[in-house]
Amino acid sequence: MNCTIKLSLKNEIGKIDKRLFGSFIEHLGRAVYGGIYEPDHPTADKNGFRGDVLELVKELKVPVIRYPGGNFVSGYNWEDGTGDKALRPRKMDLAWQAVETNQVGIDEFQEWAKLTGGEIMMAVNLGTRGADEARELVEYCNGTTDTHYADMRRKNGFEEPFGIKLWCLGNEMDGAWQICAQTPYEYARKACEAAKVMKWTDDSIELVACGSSNSNSPTFGVWEETVLRECYDHIDYLSLHNYYGNRDNDSAAYLGSSLDMDSFIKRVTAICDKVKAEKNSDKQINLSFDEWNVWFHSNESDKEIPKWTVAPPQLEDIYNLEDALVVGTLLTTLIKNCDRVKIGCLAQLVNVIAPIMTEKGGKVWKQTIFYPYSHALKFARGTALQIKTEAESYTAGGKEIPYIEAAAVYNEEEKELVVFAVNRSQKDDCPLDTDFGVSTDLIRHLTVTGDDLKAENSAKAERVTETEIQLSDKVILPKQSWNVLIYKIN
Ligand code: AHR
């Protein structure tokens, strides 16, 4: 097996929006309580935030963090998480059947987000609530007027507005599991009116309307079309969500998951453009892939978790090497679609289907998927290039899947070309030839690989990590590997 990658610096896909590699913190499981917030932890700051977790999030430089849900947001009263902590109500969170103490809310989360250097992508509750509470939350967060909700924020100790730019109009409102799920038209009308009053409250915000909650949703297509027809002039992005898993233990098919992500993006883009044409509009709706990841390992064990406890260990998938490779292919897919996908959120960030895990009172550790995610954050900066990857394919799960999945990014500032490549073969290393049309020198080759696709990390041992490959005349993409190749342009 071998592979040739051809590209030209002139053939651009588009500039990568820095928000493409965002993440997500939901009030779910141990993401907030015991994740970012653990007042008794030895590294906790005066506000109760874990210093070790914060350091790792800062090191990653996560550009945007979606909050507070997720399914959680569809039953959430944002006021419960503001003001005097001693007076905050303990509530039943129906989405995850757990107890929410409200010791962290937007007051605290915005402080934490500021420390990370990332911006917040704030979701409003369009399940049990609607336009009124959404506009009040916008005023609370961003208001500068001498009016009730902006004053409430000031009284709570925050003179300066939080300045939250990016807002989600609810979450997965098409899903039967959602608190107060809606039909396409019901949601479209609700979202449109909420969008109007939110933008009238602060005309500088950007809005993301809910698309389908997954690529197989029964209302897929009708949902997008209806939402776009009703909301077109008032929204900026349409969302996509999808999770992948190796449920049948068919690694060859599972490693091809990104083909589904790519086709999902292309199909939603086509619907956006269809509605644009129908409306004879100059405005382009872009995409926000604001939930994506591998999620399946914890599905069965989660059924055993008792209800109505605080911060139960839900959705604590422990990832292995093959999951890291799948995450790598999903990242390359986002890069290759960056002309339309402007925002992406790896769901989630800490403990809940997450790259970062914590022990209560103990250490923080990195899952296998941490590495491809951190590489994308660090090296996928600049302009994504069109790329021709000539490689053999195999058939699995009824699909023809190329052995090599790659994307390329031109970093003009650094005069560097970065190639991201996954070798899906479980048998063969793959020699790589390149034709970049310019003279380059390979200066670094980072890889995540190993002999055991099922190797996992834990608090005790990191079996899957990044390694720097010694450079030689020939580039080899090891079997079952994620690779980052950094070339200096001469
Ligand atoms: O990320 C976990 C859950 O997945 C989110 O709460 C929901 O939006 C999705 O179904």
Side-chain angles (χ1 to χ4, degrees):
M1 181 169 70
N2 60 7
C3 169
T4 305
I5 290 181
K6 294 181 179 166
L7 57 83
S8 154
L9 298 189
K10 291 195 199 88
N11 288 344
E12 299 180 352
I13 296 172
K15 216 159 175 52
I16 295 175
D17 191 311
K18 71 169 174 41
R19 299 170 302 173
L20 188 60
F21 306 115
S23 192
F24 179 25
I25 294 277
E26 177 169 1
H27 282 252
L28 155 58
R30 299 193 305 123
V32 173
Y33 308 107
I36 63 170
Y37 178 84
E38 193 180 325
D40 296 337
H41 193 270
T43 69
D45 67 10
K46 65 177 189 332
N47 294 319
F49 292 117
R50 278 182 69 148
D52 53 355
V53 175
L54 180 65
E55 274 321 300
L56 217 46
V57 178
K58 270 164 66 178
E59 181 191 312
L60 279 172
K61 294 201 171 64
V62 183
V64 59
I65 305 176
R66 190 161 171 258
Y67 177 83
N71 298 338
F72 171 79
V73 79
S74 298
Y76 182 51
N77 292 355
W78 63 265
E79 306 87 335
D80 292 346
T82 60
D84 187 347
K85 281 190 172 187
L87 303 176
R88 295 188 191 177
R90 281 168 75 89
K91 288 238 172 128
M92 289 171 87
D93 162 24
L94 300 185
W96 299 106
Q97 310 270 295
V99 171
E100 171 57 52
T101 63
N102 283 306
Q103 291 306 290
V104 172
I106 186 57
D107 288 358
E108 293 75 28
F109 189 75
Q110 61 82 33
E111 299 256 58
W112 180 78
K114 244 191 301 182
L115 297 174
T116 71
E119 67 168 299
I120 296 174
M121 180 183 198
M122 187 80 191
V124 299
N125 173 358
L126 292 192
T128 56
R129 300 184 124 190
D132 206 28
E133 297 86 352
R135 69 168 176 132
E136 289 165 2
L137 178 57
V138 174
E139 182 189 325
Y140 182 83
C141 292
N142 293 358
T144 52
T145 46
D146 179 13
T147 50
H148 182 77
Y149 290 98
D151 282 343
M152 180 172 155
R153 183 196 68 234
R154 292 184 190 102
K155 246 185 263 143
N156 287 340
F158 305 99
E159 189 54 41
E160 290 307 312
F162 302 155
I164 299 175
K165 263 243 131 18
L166 199 53
W167 294 75
C168 300
L169 293 160
N171 175 72
E172 296 189 352
M173 301 312 306
D174 62 327
W177 57 89
Q178 201 66 216
I179 301 172
C180 299
Q182 288 140 46
T183 66
Y185 190 68
E186 284 168 348
Y187 171 72
R189 287 300 316 135
K190 195 169 183 179
C192 173
E193 295 308 316
K196 275 162 54 183
V197 296
M198 288 167 77
K199 281 202 173 171
W200 288 344
T201 306
D202 178 355
D203 62 11
S204 72
I205 61 175
E206 289 192 306
L207 295 176
V208 183
C210 290
S212 295
S213 52
N214 62 74
S215 57
N216 292 315
S217 159
T219 52
F220 173 76
V222 177
W223 181 275
E224 280 73 8
E225 220 168 301
T226 312
V227 170
L228 287 165
R229 286 199 180 123
E230 293 299 316
C231 302
Y232 206 89
D233 294 336
H234 306 289
I235 62 166
D236 304 282
Y237 306 92
L238 189 65
S239 77
L240 299 85
H241 289 181
N242 219 24
Y243 292 96
Y244 301 91
N246 191 1
R247 289 185 187 83
D248 303 327
N249 199 15
D250 177 352
S251 298
Y254 173 53
L255 287 166
S257 298
S258 64
L259 273 64
D260 175 81
M261 182 192 238
D262 188 61
S263 122
F264 189 26
I265 292 170
K266 300 275 188 319
R267 287 183 290 151
V268 177
T269 301
I271 301 170
C272 290
D273 291 346
K274 176 179 180 239
V275 178
K276 178 183 180 198
E278 261 175 26
K279 289 185 174 283
N280 197 11
S281 172
D282 290 333
K283 176 175 173 181
Q284 173 169 297
I285 300 290
N286 286 319
L287 308 184
S288 171
F289 214 125
D290 44 45
E291 282 190 37
W292 68 269
N293 200 350
V294 170
W295 173 16
F296 75 107
H297 294 284
S298 59
N299 290 167
E300 284 309 307
S301 53
D302 276 0
K303 292 179 188 153
E304 309 301 318
I305 294 177
K307 291 178 181 183
W308 314 122
T309 60
V310 176
Q314 291 164 318
L315 278 66
E316 298 206 2
D317 277 39
I318 300 301
Y319 294 116
N320 55 32
L321 172 60
E322 70 181 358
D323 300 324
L325 303 186
V326 167
V327 163
T329 59
L330 299 173
L331 288 161
T332 58
T333 304
L334 290 174
I335 293 171
K336 284 190 281 190
N337 286 288
C338 76
D339 51 336
R340 290 308 282 260
V341 186
K342 301 294 172 186
I343 302 158
C345 301
L346 173 71
Q348 299 192 10
L349 188 58
V350 185
N351 287 334
V352 171
I353 43 174
I356 298 173
M357 299 298 288
T358 67
E359 290 183 313
K360 186 173 162 41
K363 62 190 273 201
V364 64
W365 57 277
K366 297 173 184 171
Q367 294 241 44
T368 62
I369 64 167
F370 180 93
Y371 294 100
Y373 179 52
S374 71
H375 292 155
L377 276 164
K378 206 162 171 184
F379 300 114
R381 291 170 179 274
T383 304
L385 299 175
Q386 299 199 15
I387 178 170
K388 190 154 188 276
T389 307
E390 294 172 352
E392 288 161 42
S393 335
Y394 62 95
T395 305
K399 286 194 178 136
E400 198 185 326
I401 302 166
Y403 279 109
I404 306 298
E405 176 79 50
V409 178
Y410 174 39
N411 184 332
E412 204 167 351
E413 248 167 63
E414 302 291 332
K415 291 273 166 291
E416 280 173 5
L417 177 66
V418 183
V419 172
F420 302 91
V422 170
N423 181 357
R424 293 181 169 113
S425 172
Q426 293 170 55
K427 281 201 328 272
D428 297 319
D429 295 346
C430 181
L432 176 72
D433 292 315
T434 55
D435 176 358
F436 297 155
V438 283
S439 150
T440 56
D441 288 322
L442 180 65
I443 56 170
R444 284 185 83 182
H445 181 176
L446 288 166
T447 188
V448 178
T449 188
D451 282 333
D452 180 6
L453 273 180
K454 306 293 182 192
E456 297 168 347
N457 293 347
S458 69
K460 291 196 186 70
E462 271 212 7
R463 292 179 64 202
V464 180
T465 179
E466 62 182 7
T467 47
E468 188 99 34
I469 290 195
Q470 200 66 36
L471 302 180
S472 67
D473 289 347
K474 192 78 200 157
V475 175
I476 306 287
L477 306 175
K479 69 174 187 181
Q480 44 200 44
S481 66
W482 155 259
N483 301 269
V484 184
L485 299 155
I486 305 172
Y487 296 85
K488 200 82 198 157
I489 296 171
N490 297 316

